[in-house]
Structures are given as structure tokens and as C-alpha cells.
Amino acid sequence: MIANLDKTYDHHDVEHRWSSAHWESEGIYGAESSRVLVEGKEPYTVLMPPPNVTGSLTLGHVLNHTLQDIFIRYQRMSGKEALWLPGTDHAGIATQTVVEKKLRAEGVSRRDLGRKGFLEHVWRWREEYGGLILKQLRKLGISCDWRRNLFTMDESASAAVRHAFVSLYRDGLIYRGKRIINWCPVSQTALSDEEVIMKPRKDKLVYVRYPLVKRPGEFITIATVRPETILADVAIAVNPNDPRYRDLIGELAVVPVAGRHVPVIADDYVDIEFGTGALKITPAHDPNDFEVAGRHNLPILCVVGRDGKMTDEFGYAGMDRFDAREKIIADLESLGNLERVEDYEHNVGYSERADVVVEPYLSEQWFVKMKPLAEKALQVVNEGEIRFHPAHWISTYRHWMENIQDWCISRQLWWGHRIPAWYDEEGKIWVAGSYEEACHLAGTDKLIQDEDVLDTWFSSWLWPLTTLGWTGENTDNEDIRAFYPTDTLVTGPDIIFFWVARMIMAGLYFKGDVPFRDVYFTSIIRDLKGRKLSKSLGNSPDPLKVIDAYGTDALRFTIVYIAPLGQDVLFGEEKCEFGRNFATKIWNAARLVFMQREKVFGDIETFGKAYAGFTPDPELLSGAQRWILGRYHEMLVSYHTAFSLFRMNDITRIVYDFFRGDYCDWYLETLKIELTEEIDEQKRRHAVFLAVSILEGFLKVLHPVMPFITEEVWHHIVERKNSESIASSIMPQAEEHWKSSEQEDFTAVQKVISEARSLRAVFGVPHDMNASLVISVQDEPAKRIIAANTHIVTRMTGCTLEIAGKGLQRPPHSASSVVDGSELFMPLEGLISFDKEIARLEKEAGSVSSYVMRMEKKLANKGFVDNAPEEVVENEKRKLAEAKDNLRKLDANLEVLRN
């Protein structure tokens, strides 16, 4: 290993050297149950939300998986047996859609191939393309136990799915029944409520007259946005408390176009205020109408098919539902049944995958009874057994769980877990774990398996169990005993119902315990204009291109730094310059430290032998060294506290502020000075040890966020084998005794240096000119502190220093300031051109004075103050106060130069 780092930081080189493949081969990230069950190590488990097998890397993945990696690396370095369980989801609808599209391009349909042939194509596609997302995730440097990678269609996971279905069915929690479900006419399958995205849509609200059979010339008017479903009307409902229609209850009306006679019924469901207060009842095409029909024993008619085309007997059959809508409106007008049409904007459900309007469809499907499962799942969150971060998501979770509906779990697809139910020749259902078991139960082998597959989420809700090898038959194994419940789930709030709630239910039902202890909900990533990232808007950067340009560490650090808990992230690719600059700062600072190491020790081998087991010696510490030690341990306290509170972006800010501010801007500058002026060799060696020690501690706390550069720099501290890793080192802990009142001594020195630099900047004193700095100290302790650090003050301010007693008369033409009661004076004679500086300050003062006058006039305007939002007015007042303060300073500075 060469002693120092390359002159320039090259993220490509560093990331290639410390790739995921390297550490996988070394087994660094593997976790073993025996270390928990036999050796007694404390377990820590993170559950990777399985990305779709069809997916490719997005910024959402970057944020989510970086956060997971931060948690797992931190806990691994904290001494726990840390297990991160990876895997991918078979993504039923998405995968089948991708493969069918590929086949269509080849002139083949899945029907041509048959079920078996089509599934062979899907498996081949999965083998060829399904691993792409995992390869891309490896580019992020994530530290999963890749040996345990699970695919939701692997046999062990499939066995667990079959067991879960059979168990729930036999416990009366799965049933088959007719319901109005969400139907996707493109994918030709049922959708759960969570797979439907509500979007605003502009439609026509059509007012239609229904003639009354026994009252010639009279009619009842209804308003509908779906006139094409008039053909399936079976009743008109009114509210029994609506005086407008009370006398019409029990009458018959004629359905326009269809000519069918239907009753006028009374039902409390009808909203008196909406439309005309009369509602057409079409039970096959509306879930609420379906309920009304059940209460009134009404027939059910269907006029829209599975493909979204009409199936009626009135001349519209074969037409697309939306085309039929326009034709029926025209026909209603020609028949005299159209009263009027209004523009109407409302929210309409769209298929999440196909992006088409969902069709409410009456179909026989399989359902899970959710209320019995939801009760305990709500209880464990309410009682804090599972904690949400941020906590405000609890109210969203609670609302959904208290209003939960049964879960439609069957999908009309071929790719997925086929429902383990068989039908005999009489149509009786036999649910079993296998065909052989079903035959045994039925007493016959003449059985046909249900054609449908299970909702993808039916396998995903078992994820905390199946990733640990649970199949249902083995209710317990060593991995489950060691690592279940898992600890932390990192996921997006958009799948709190899809996945989080259902995993809690499944864990409690099948294992009798919660699946995890903490749920961290990630931020939503938006562009700099506040828009959600999407391919259609063209505002979603390719993370792989961002990584190539800025580096993985830069992207990881930046995206966490700008992602406060519970707040949206405004991301622009250029923001990664911040992370890249930080990486470069780390590299250059480490190079500086290693150069000092070489000056004092000569070679890395000599240093390494002497450095082993180093602990700071209080007798050898300078004031600056005591200060940095105290600041370092204060940083560690804040760092570990932030972890305990799940404040991930605070962690990045804490380490950034410490390293860039305390360590680089202050401590390394003092180190260079002290090593130049110190003649005691023991103290010189100790100073280098301390600088390296704090650098190493910083690298460890930063490692969970920026794994590549920290690994590289750590390997240059002392000679280390390639098989060693910072990931296996021990996370530093705060030592309270290093925080002391002596820290304040150097803090006072810092203030003096900062004020002296400020005076130079305010009055335009050139950096290359040596100025005089006179300090009138207020007491002996202050004098002692400044005197002890004269060499540091002098070198860091570019000033010769004179320490005077209290009450010194201000020297002529001196800039001045006050620090903790001590007065600072900087004589300006000979340093600057007074005339030029006075002209510059006068010009600036004039500009600020004009601004003050404008602001005062604005705030004197009663119309503005009374009508503008309060926060706007307060902000203007704040800007005025700041401007006045600035003007006072400018006037004071002018006074110095004039007198």
C-alpha cells in the first residue's frame, strides 16, 4: 500500500476498487443465525422492499436503499449481527405486460402459446433481464447478504403462498363471491383498490328524462356521467326524505333507449343535494348501486364487457364504452330524452399500470376478509409496538384500518402464483396445498385448477417470513428464531396500505408477532419546481448517469442530506456537486494529514507500529487539540442521538459540519502551525497520532453514508490487507471526559481570529499585507489564553499581535470590535487607500439608505400592511431591520476612516 492518496480524487477508480463483488467474495456482509443463537450477539435485521423484476434504478431506489444501507452498516459497526435481506418481486401485471408486448412485436399472442408455453417465455425473459435492477443496486454499494437473495416465485416462497391461502381459507378468512371489482380493460384483470390511482377528469354531466308509465307527459330526471350504462338500469332511487319525489315512490319509469319499465324506489343512500336528487340504479356497473340492488332484491344486468366494449342488445354492441357514450347522448337528444348537458370535473379511478379508466365490473373473485385481521394490526401500532417515522403516518394508517374493505386477491393473469383451488365436475371447490391433496379431499382426480393467479401483494405480505425461509410447513427455523421480528423497514408512504399494513396482519396471523419494530417512511422526490419525477415530464434523471458524473458517494450523501424526515425532496442533478465537493474535501484533507504523518514518521510502516492502540495523553495536548477532541466527542453524541431518532439527514449534517468546519477549517490549520513551530518530538508525534485518530473516527461515522471513499482512505491510514474493511470496524462512541471547560479557551481564540479576519474583509485589507492587531484584554485569564495561542492567532490572521491591558485608548484610524469583553483594534494607516475605501463605503451606504427608504415607505402603506399575508409583512419588517443594522455598521466604518 502506498503511503499517500493520489493527488486527485477519482471516484471511478475508488468505486471500481471497492466494488460490491469484492466484499461479497470476502463474506463481509453475511450474517449467521448461530452468532445470535449460540454466541449471543444481538441481531439487527433490515427487510429490503423487493423491487419489481421489471424495474430499473430510479432516484426513489437510490434514496430508499441508501437509507437501508446506512441503518445496516451502522448497526453492523455497532457490534450487532446485522442482516439485510434482499430480493425481487415477480410483479404479475407488469411482467406479463412486458412479455406480451415483446411477443406481439414477434407476431405471437399468449393465447397462441397456451399457458405453459407463455410461462416458459416469461421465465426465459426473467433469466435474461430480471437481474438488471439488482446489478444496478450493487452500483450503490449496498451491503446485503446476497446469498439470501429471494425471488417471490422461488419454490420456497411459492410454498409459503400456498400454505397461507389454504390456512386462511380453512379459517374462513378467504372466500369466493360476486362483487363489483375494479377491472382493467387493457390488462384484463381485477385490481385492488390500492392499484387504482385517482385522477381529475373532465366529463359531461348528462341530465336524462325518464317518462313515468302511469303519468303521461310526466317524467323524472336523473343526472349521470355514464349515460352508456343507462341500458343496464334496473331502478330509479330517491331519498325517502326528499319531498320532491315522495309521491313517486312505487311508480314505474321507462328507461330511455332500452324501453324497460323500472320501479322508483326509496333508499337513504341517495344524496338529495347531488344532481336532481334522483339516482339511476345500475348494479352491474357501480359498487354502491350493487349494494342498493341487494337491499331491494333487484335484477342485475351488464352492458360493458371485460374488454371495455359494449355487450347490449340495443345497437351499441362492440363499440368502445366511450364511443358508445357519445352516441347515446346524441340518441337521447333525438328521442327527446336529453334535458341538458353540463361540463363536470371529478376524480376518476385509473389503472396504475395501464393508465386507463378502471371499469367497475361484476365478477366472481377470491377475497380475504380483512376486518378480523385488521383489528390486532391496528392495536400494535396504536400501542407503540410498531413505531412509524414520522409519526404522523399513524393517523393515515388508523383511518384506513378502521375503514378497511375486503381484499380482492384474484387476478386474471397467467404469470404469478396460481390459486390453489380445484373444481370437481359438479363445480364444488377444493382448496389444498397441491393437486394430490385436492384429489384426496375430493375423492376423485377429475379436478380442474382455478385459472386465476393471486395478487402480487399476496406473496409480498409474507416477505418478512419467506425471506427467512418460512414455508408454512416449517413454522420455525434457526433464521426465524434469530432474526424475526425484523427491526427496520424503509419504504415509501404510498404503499402503507399495499404492503406495510398487510405485512403486519400476516406477521401477527401466521407467526403471532409483529414483522418489524420500526417503519421509516421515505420522502417523495420532486424536481426543483416541486413536480413529482416522471418519464412523461422528462424530469427524472438517470441515477447511473448521475453516478458516472458525480460518483456514488456524492449521490448517496447529497440525497440523504436534502431529505429531512417527513418532508419532500427537491432534487436537481446539479445538487450532487455538493456531495462531490465534500468527497474532494475529505480526500484533500486526508492527503494533508498523511503528508504531516510522512514528515514526522517517514514511512507508513513505522507510523503503523507506533499508532497501534493510540489514546490521547492529556499531558501532551495543546489547547487546540483539547478543543478538537471535545468537539469530536460532542459530534459523536449528536450523531448517535440522531440515529436513535431516525433523523438520517441530521446525521449527514452533523458529520459534514464537524469535518468541514471544526476539523478542516480550524484544527488542520492549527496542526500545520503547531508542527512547524513545535520542537518537542514527542508532542509532534502525538499531534499526528491525534489528527489521524480523529480522521479515522470521522471515516467510521461517515462510512454508512459514503462507503467507497471512506474505505479507500481508511486503507491508507496504516498498512491493511484487502480483505480487511472499515465496515467490520467498531463504531466510535462518545467519551464524556473529553468535554471540558478548557474547550472554551480555544473557542475564545477562534472568536478573535474570526473577528480579525472580518475586520480585514470589511475594510478591504489585502491578504498579502501584514497588519497589526492590538488586543485590550479585559482580565488576566483572557490575557493568558491569547498569549498561549499567539502563534496561532498571528499565522491565521496575517497580523502581528500586541496584547495590552484593559482600558487601552483606541489607536487613530483603527477598525475595532469586541470579543467577550476584550477590545480588538486594527490600525489601518498604510494598509489601504482611505479615499478609495471611503468612496466605496459611501456608495454602498447610499444604496442601502435608498433601500431603507423604500422599505419604510412600503411598510407605511396601510393598504399593503392590512392586505398582505402576515408572514409577508413580517418578512419585510425583518429585511428592513437588517438593512438598518447594515447601514449603522457602514456609518461606523466610515467614521473610522474619516477620523
Side-chain angles (χ1 to χ4, degrees), residues 549-569:
Y550 296 94
T552 302
D553 282 332
L555 176 57
R556 286 173 57 124
F557 183 84
T558 301
I559 205 164
V560 176
Y561 189 90
I562 63 175
L565 181 64
Q567 297 181 34
D568 289 355
V569 178

Side-chain angles (χ1 to χ4, degrees), residues 18 24 32 47 233 245 275 374 417 440 466 474 506 527 574 652 787:
W18 306 113
E24 285 175 52
E32 300 296 339
L47 199 65
D233 286 354
Y245 301 115
H417 297 101
H440 175 74
T466 54
N474 60 333
D527 66 14
E574 61 274 16
T652 57

Side-chain angles (χ1 to χ4, degrees), residues 157-228:
S158 297
V161 167
R162 293 191 294 271
H163 173 85
F165 186 95
V166 173
S167 298
L168 289 164
Y169 179 80
R170 290 176 180 171
D171 286 349
L173 293 173
I174 283 183
Y175 65 94
R176 184 168 171 78
K178 279 200 169 186
R179 293 286 188 280
I180 296 286
I181 49 92
N182 303 303
W183 184 265
C184 176
V186 172
S187 302
Q188 296 265 319
T189 184
L191 304 173
S192 67
D193 289 343
E194 293 77 29
E195 292 170 300
V196 176
I197 306 300
M198 302 305 292
K199 296 182 182 181
R201 177 184 167 91
K202 292 180 180 179
D203 275 316
K204 301 293 184 183
L205 186 61
V206 183
Y207 288 78
V208 184
R209 293 171 175 171
Y210 288 61
L212 296 170
V213 174
K214 296 181 180 180
R215 299 191 185 194
E218 294 186 37
F219 52 83
I220 186 168
T221 301
I222 62 92
T224 179
V225 293
R226 298 205 64 193
E228 71 276 13

Side-chain angles (χ1 to χ4, degrees), residues 143-159:
S143 58
C144 306
D145 188 348
W146 290 107
R147 302 170 304 166
R148 298 171 179 265
N149 187 42
L150 183 72
F151 180 49
T152 51
M153 290 284 285
D154 285 347
E155 179 49 38
S156 63
S158 297

Side-chain angles (χ1 to χ4, degrees), residues 63 691 842:
L63 176 60
E842 285 179 340

